Amino acid sequence: MVTEAEAHRHGRLYVVATPIGNLADLSARARSVLSEVALIAAEDTRHTSRLLSHFGIHTPQMALHDHNESTALTNILRRLELGEDVAVVSDAGTPLISDPGFRLVRAAIAAGVDPVAVPGPSAVTAALSIAGLPVDQFTFVGFIPSRDEARQRFIAELVEERRTVVAFESVHRIAATLAAFADVLPPERQLSVHREMTKQFESTYRGSAADLAAAAAAGEIVMKGEFVLVIAGSADQAVERHAVDIDSLLGVLLDELPVKAAVAAAQRLTGAPRNRLYQRALALTRER
């Protein structure tokens, strides 16, 4: 716990949210903080320079990104210990949300500095607010894994996730991701795909995974910019229907059949997604 005396002895570390596209979304408080601190730690100083220039802010910057965070935080902590205020920003949105800054905040807390949030834009909450899907419970998973094994595991787990899921995806993989979702998600699982949020050519596409995969294949989804996916959670009854004795059924089938044949038979009997059955069959085979 940071005492009031300790807080006054150090400078303040401000975690400042910046626009995800529309520069008008930078709050008055954020502008004031960025103008008044001694230093801005930015994910990409060239990117942040454009934002600062737009608002006539001339505060010095230093880079803080994944490749230099260990060395940069030593310098920043020294500045804080000298009583200087520092702001940390990412290229877009709220720092630490799939962006650098976590190690700095942890190190600052350990050094007796109590970080101050300057809240504002976030692609996660922005997408949730207009997706038209349940938001009483949700989980944010960051970028969808790019490696095949991790990606398959993520998609298999998605089948049983009851909460709304928010994920980031790159323009290079969005079509393949939607196609993979279409293979395992039933038509009642709705998705909302958001492209270039708050920017001039912002677009939103809604529908089932199969609908959106077909739209992407047909060129109806513009393959440019940043993507945020919001995926509805599974209905309880669907989870229960697919979960009933699947391991037991696969166990019996694997006693008599190769993995692919056992999975095919289990899918015909249960109607459960093939990808999920395949992952469970592999896990059971490894356990044996």
Side-chain angles (χ1 to χ4, degrees):
M1 179 176 175
V2 179
T3 66
E4 186 174 351
E6 289 174 325
H8 283 300
R9 189 167 65 242
H10 298 295
R12 292 183 181 275
L13 176 66
Y14 292 95
V15 182
V16 182
T18 57
I20 58 177
N22 193 319
L23 296 183
D25 290 336
L26 187 69
S27 71
R29 182 184 175 206
R31 293 198 297 271
S32 176
V33 167
L34 294 176
S35 298
E36 295 172 2
V37 294
L39 177 71
I40 297 173
E43 181 180 3
D44 184 335
T45 55
R46 294 167 300 179
H47 183 94
T48 300
S49 290
R50 292 192 288 272
L51 174 69
L52 300 181
S53 177
H54 180 82
F55 290 102
I57 298 171
H58 305 289
T59 304
Q61 295 184 70
M62 71 171 294
L64 175 70
H65 47 70
D66 291 335
H67 303 295
N68 80 334
E69 194 165 7
S70 296
T71 54
L73 66 83
T74 301
N75 185 15
I76 295 170
L77 289 175
R78 186 179 302 114
R79 303 283 291 266
L80 290 168
E81 289 169 359
L82 292 172
E84 297 181 356
D85 293 339
V86 177
V88 57
V89 301
S90 64
D91 287 349
T94 303
L96 281 71
I97 309 299
S98 285
D99 285 323
F102 171 73
R103 294 180 64 188
L104 171 60
V105 169
R106 286 289 296 269
I109 292 170
V113 177
D114 205 3
V116 178
V118 182
S122 166
V124 175
T125 53
L128 279 168
S129 70
I130 61 173
L133 299 174
V135 295
D136 53 332
Q137 292 188 6
F138 70 89
T139 180
F140 170 62
V141 297
F143 280 92
I144 294 172
S146 58
R147 295 186 177 180
D148 289 343
E149 185 175 347
R151 188 184 188 84
Q152 290 175 0
R153 187 164 55 249
F154 169 82
I155 294 173
E157 292 172 354
L158 185 64
V159 174
E160 297 186 10
E161 178 57 68
R162 302 186 186 190
R163 297 167 294 181
T164 295
V165 176
V166 185
F168 295 159
E169 186 54 291
S170 78
V171 65
H172 307 293
R173 294 194 298 268
I174 185 67
T177 293
L178 292 173
F181 285 173
D183 287 339
V184 299
L185 296 181
E188 62 267 22
R189 293 284 290 276
Q190 295 293 292
L191 284 73
S192 183
V193 177
H194 305 268
R195 186 185 74 86
E196 294 285 82
M197 295 195 68
T198 78
K199 298 179 183 178
Q200 182 178 359
F201 299 106
E202 176 178 359
S203 306
T204 298
Y205 310 89
R206 297 183 179 88
S208 68
D211 292 338
L212 294 171
E220 296 170 5
I221 295 178
V222 179
M223 294 300 166
K224 291 182 180 179
E226 306 290 335
F227 286 85
V228 183
L229 282 71
V230 184
I231 306 140
S234 175
D236 289 356
Q237 58 268 28
V239 173
E240 291 166 2
R241 173 166 54 85
H242 293 320
V244 173
D245 293 329
I246 279 180
D247 281 6
S248 297
L249 174 62
L250 282 171
V252 172
L253 292 171
L254 287 168
D255 286 338
E256 307 294 334
L257 300 169
V259 170
K260 288 185 178 179
V263 168
Q267 186 177 33
R268 288 196 299 271
L269 291 168
T270 66
R274 181 186 178 283
N275 188 280
R276 175 173 174 251
L277 291 169
Y278 186 70
Q279 294 298 323
R280 288 306 306 149
L282 290 180
L284 291 170
T285 301
R286 286 194 295 268
E287 290 172 7
R288 293 182 175 192

